[in-house]
Amino acid sequence: MKNPYIPHEVKILDTWYEAPGDRCIKTFKVTFTDEKVWDTWSHLPGQCAMVGIPGVGESMFCISSSPTEKGYLRFSIMKAGKNTSALHELEAGDTFFVRGPLGNNFPLEDWKGKNVVTIGGGIGQAPLRPVIQWIRDNRGDYGELQLIYGARTSADHCFKDEFKEILEEGECACHLSIDVEEEEWPHFVGFVPQLLLEVAPSPENTIAVTCGPPIMIKFVLQNLEKLGFTPDQVYTTLENRMKCGIGKCGRCNVGHLYVCKDGPVFSYAQLKEIPEAFA
Amino acid sequence: MALKKLSKEKMGEVLGELSKFRLVAPAKSDEVVVFKQIGDPQEAFLDYGNSTVPPKKFAFPQTETLFRFMVGSPELKEKNVEEEGTTVIFGLRPCDARAMAIVDKLFSWDFDDPYYLKRRELTTLVGMACVEPPSVNCFCTSLQGSPFGTEGLDMLLTDMGDYYLVQSLTEKGEKLAETLSSQLEEAPAGDEKKAEEMARESEGRIRRSISTAGIPEKLPGLWENELWKRVSAACLGCGICTFLCPTCHCFDIQDEVDEGGEGRRCRMWDSCMFEEYTLHASGHNPRPTRRERTRNRINHKYSYYPNRFGVIACVGCGRCINLCPVNIDILDILDQVVDAQ
């Protein structure tokens, strides 16, 4: 019987900071120490893993790299508690442990032939990054790709270099925002839900995916409805405290659904039925 | 399967025979009855109502190691449950055995839980029918259970006065009956009928009940109902209702490391009635007060679990009523659910 509680060691290939501050965000690019683990590993955009250090603990994070990026995984982690603080101490060459892949994924196969608009806020862009990368790497399978992303300040923007590259390429529309005015900021100033109304993507044959702080998601969902998106065209991910990651320990339920097992990806149509979803 | 008779005089011999396995039986510990591993048959205390603490810990220990490690080393040493050996849990009540059958569904759902399932595979459950309902707050018959219920059991013993009627229910039970063949005799004719009659009488003595029909379907519509505030007002958040519940299975996972750097990752019982249970690292808590936590507990047992596994996660053992320090009564909560508009 395969033991789903046993994590695998990964070696850090590279690290860099996405955002500064007390709750800074660091990206870890890692590879499994035991090459054989790659033989059984396969994940899809949206899936998660338990990440941690034996002796400290483990926490659930989305895998912020797409399976089309071969030979490594990425995790973009905000320093928030005991485990994440210990992870932030690590640099290239160090190791930690990964258990997964866990949870469900964005149904990208079902979205083939459709336009996709991603709406992210802050570290909430982490689960959207693999979606974007997947579509960029399978460009012919999808229609128009539109990116909407914002954070408090320009320094708080994650994946800055990649957004810059996408903007320069000009292949897909990319709309960035910050909450308050900064000198020489060439893009939108205001909150992400406002930017969404400004961009006003058409719901015609389009899927909208949103991740970010709960308050942002709440208003994004309202504004998507205003724009004519139906609940089954809208996807998001939920977060809850998790321990086992495999639907046993009981703590991450929203209504009858376990975020770790039935999620983290949910359609808005599903969540509308669950009163606890945005508690 | 064939019925046997076990003379009460031979109980010591039987327990002695079963001691070649890891034998778990009810025993007195201070003033309460608990299930514990016994070495001496004299320790078994079979003349009991029901144990204060359910025997669930022998399938799902209160704390158990998942794996061991040395800090900084890539080697993880997985716990081998087989080392715990073959176990016989002797003399448990039908409600507690049924609870294990209910919890089995969770631990074998999608991801198999290797620790729990291996332990269940190695365990034989020998039940003791409730000739008298063990507590005034028993309500097993409201949940498709019975004082003589056999679900989850491998063998059932019924106290017939001078002897026990022994009924093997599964292959494991048959095997155990073979092991005990020198202590068992043919059961007197007519005992099966007599036991059926005793079961009816015992069921008739159960005082408390609830009609559960429609509760799983009704609960989602009562999300914002004021009853949750009312029924949780007295709650202390002590969690005893969940720790002593034979179907509650929530757990935490923590790492422990000693001074030498030797560590273990273990899981331990946790409770949805605790504030920290759902507290995010950000400080946000989706269930910030006892109102939300009580609502979740009742919904989990009576709506979410049946929604996923087709069975209510409550066996009507009454422990959460008997032991609540502020007399919160799950049947009173369910009555309010039934009455709520």
Side-chain angles (χ1 to χ4, degrees), chain B residues 16-210:
Chain B
E17 184 70 33
L18 295 179
S19 299
K20 66 183 180 193
F21 309 114
R22 182 170 73 139
L23 176 61
V24 171
K28 274 193 166 177
S29 171
D30 295 326
E31 290 308 305
V32 299
V33 176
V34 297
F35 276 81
K36 60 186 265 196
Q37 185 174 351
I38 60 167
D40 176 0
Q42 299 287 333
E43 284 182 83
F45 180 69
L46 298 176
D47 187 20
Y48 77 115
N50 202 0
S51 60
T52 307
V53 186
K56 71 175 175 182
K57 69 174 178 183
F58 290 95
F60 173 47
Q62 187 159 0
T63 302
E64 78 173 305
T65 300
L66 302 176
F67 58 82
R68 294 181 180 278
F69 55 85
M70 274 299 290
V71 169
S73 159
E75 303 297 324
L76 307 177
K77 191 167 178 276
E78 194 180 327
K79 158 93 183 180
N80 182 1
V81 173
E82 272 183 71
E83 285 169 1
E84 291 172 8
T86 309
T87 300
V88 174
I89 303 182
F90 192 90
L92 78 166
R93 295 297 177 194
C95 57
D96 286 341
R98 182 160 182 266
M100 287 199 203
I102 289 172
V103 177
D104 287 351
K105 293 174 190 291
L106 173 102
F107 282 112
S108 56
W109 170 59
D110 198 0
F111 284 92
D112 282 341
D113 188 291
Y115 305 96
Y116 178 90
L117 295 179
K118 178 48 83 179
R119 210 171 270 121
R120 288 286 284 123
E121 189 188 314
L122 293 170
T123 303
T124 302
L125 300 182
V126 180
M128 191 76 80
C130 304
V131 175
E132 289 284 338
S135 108
V136 70
N137 287 317
C138 288
F139 60 104
C140 63
T141 45
S142 297
L143 291 146
Q144 290 77 54
S146 159
F148 279 56
T150 55
E151 191 182 348
L153 285 172
D154 298 301
M155 181 182 266
L156 180 67
L157 269 56
T158 304
D159 189 339
M160 307 297 280
D162 297 334
Y163 63 93
Y164 291 101
L165 187 66
V166 179
Q167 191 182 355
S168 301
L169 301 159
T170 63
E171 246 177 67
K172 278 186 192 173
E174 283 285 310
K175 243 177 136 176
L176 201 68
E178 275 170 38
T179 307
L180 301 173
S181 57
S182 59
Q183 284 87 23
L184 300 179
E185 303 163 57
E186 283 308 307
D191 263 16
E192 194 169 5
K193 275 224 152 62
K194 199 173 158 193
E196 281 170 16
E197 182 56 33
M198 287 165 73
R200 267 196 298 279
E201 279 178 26
S202 183
E203 283 182 12
R205 282 197 285 269
I206 288 180
R207 307 255 172 100
R208 304 207 62 192
S209 67
I210 181 84

Side-chain angles (χ1 to χ4, degrees), chain B residues 196-313:
Chain B
E196 281 170 16
E197 182 56 33
M198 287 165 73
R200 267 196 298 279
E201 279 178 26
S202 183
E203 283 182 12
R205 282 197 285 269
I206 288 180
R207 307 255 172 100
R208 304 207 62 192
S209 67
I210 181 84
S211 170
T212 57
I215 289 181
E217 297 75 19
K218 190 175 183 184
L219 275 167
L222 300 178
W223 193 253
E224 294 298 347
N225 197 287
E226 62 174 27
L227 84 91
W228 301 116
K229 193 170 178 188
R230 206 164 52 232
V231 301
S232 63
C235 178
L236 304 174
C238 71
I240 200 165
C241 50
T242 54
F243 278 105
L244 296 182
C245 172
T247 65
C248 275
H249 54 263
C250 293
F251 59 85
D252 192 5
I253 297 178
Q254 295 281 346
D255 288 2
E256 288 179 356
V257 181
D258 70 15
E259 308 81 2
E262 268 186 74
R264 60 179 192 143
R265 179 160 294 167
C266 40
R267 69 170 164 197
M268 56 282 288
W269 295 354
D270 202 349
S271 172
C272 63
M273 299 310 288
F274 295 157
E275 187 177 357
E276 296 77 13
Y277 181 72
T278 47
L279 181 67
H280 294 193
S282 66
H284 173 69
N285 196 341
R287 291 181 211 135
T289 75
R290 286 172 197 141
R291 169 182 169 270
E292 291 84 22
R293 298 197 278 275
T294 301
R295 180 174 65 189
N296 180 70
R297 173 174 159 248
I298 300 298
N299 270 279
H300 190 194
K301 292 192 165 301
Y302 277 83
S303 170
Y304 309 153
Y305 210 89
N307 189 313
R308 188 170 299 271
F309 299 115
V311 61
I312 289 171

Side-chain angles (χ1 to χ4, degrees), chain A:
Chain A
M1 200 184 292
K2 193 170 177 281
N3 190 335
Y5 295 100
I6 302 293
H8 299 289
E9 191 189 44
V10 293
K11 186 176 178 180
I12 303 174
L13 300 173
D14 198 3
T15 71
W16 59 88
Y17 283 94
E18 302 287 352
D22 289 345
R23 291 158 72 81
C24 49
I25 299 162
K26 192 171 181 176
T27 290
F28 299 85
K29 185 178 171 183
V30 302
T31 187
F32 289 107
T33 316
D34 181 351
E35 282 180 14
K36 281 185 287 214
V37 179
W38 283 117
D39 298 341
T40 55
W41 181 274
S42 78
H43 80 274
L44 287 166
Q47 282 197 288
C48 297
M50 279 287 180
V51 175
I53 303 167
V56 182
E58 54 178 16
S59 325
M60 184 86 124
F61 297 102
C62 72
I63 302 164
S64 60
S65 52
S66 160
T68 51
E69 299 168 272
K70 302 286 182 197
Y72 64 88
L73 298 176
R74 276 196 196 186
F75 297 97
S76 298
I77 294 172
M78 181 185 277
K79 187 174 172 178
K82 183 177 147 196
N83 187 41
T84 52
S85 295
L87 287 164
H88 268 240
E89 296 292 313
L90 304 178
E91 296 297 343
D94 293 335
T95 61
F96 58 86
F97 283 73
V98 168
R99 178 159 75 85
L102 302 170
N104 70 351
N105 55 278
F106 290 107
L108 277 150
E109 282 296 315
D110 301 344
W111 299 350
K112 281 185 177 172
K114 293 181 191 285
N115 306 313
V116 176
V117 53
T118 69
I119 306 139
I123 185 62
Q125 188 66 16
L128 300 178
R129 188 192 169 271
V131 173
I132 295 163
Q133 193 62 42
W134 173 278
I135 294 175
R136 289 174 79 197
D137 291 334
N138 295 281
R139 205 61 203 87
D141 291 343
Y142 298 89
E144 195 185 335
L145 174 66
Q146 269 188 300
L147 315 184
I148 296 172
Y149 176 60
R152 277 187 310 139
T153 70
S154 58
D156 293 314
H157 275 226
C158 293
F159 318 120
K160 295 179 191 69
D161 292 346
E162 288 176 23
F163 276 114
K164 197 171 161 227
E165 186 187 307
I166 292 168
L167 277 165
E168 282 167 7
E169 267 176 17
E171 244 188 59
C172 62
C174 182
H175 308 275
L176 302 178
S177 74
I178 52 174
D179 292 355
V180 269
E181 193 79 55
E182 279 176 34
E183 266 181 46
E184 293 180 33
W185 173 254
H187 307 285
F188 187 80
V189 177
F191 296 117
V192 170
Q194 295 170 277
L195 175 58
L196 169 64
L197 287 183
E198 193 85 3
V199 175
S202 161
E204 184 67 33
N205 193 37
T206 301
I207 294 292
V209 201
T210 182
C211 296
I215 188 77
M216 184 207 94
I217 293 182
K218 187 179 163 189
F219 288 109
V220 163
L221 294 175
Q222 283 178 11
N223 289 352
L224 283 168
E225 280 188 315
K226 277 185 203 162
L227 293 169
F229 281 81
T230 56
D232 58 344
Q233 285 177 279
V234 179
Y235 288 79
T236 187
T237 62
L238 292 185
E239 266 186 89
N240 252 348
R241 189 163 185 190
M242 301 180 201
K243 285 288 181 173
C244 72
I246 54 171
K248 313 285 185 215
C249 80
R251 77 191 58 228
C252 72
N253 70 298
V254 281
H256 67 280
L257 301 172
Y258 286 118
V259 175
C260 72
K261 190 64 203 65
D262 303 309
V265 174
F266 296 96
S267 73
Y268 187 33
Q270 263 179 304
L271 296 183
K272 278 202 138 182
E273 305 296 317
I274 313 280
E276 203 178 17
F278 300 107

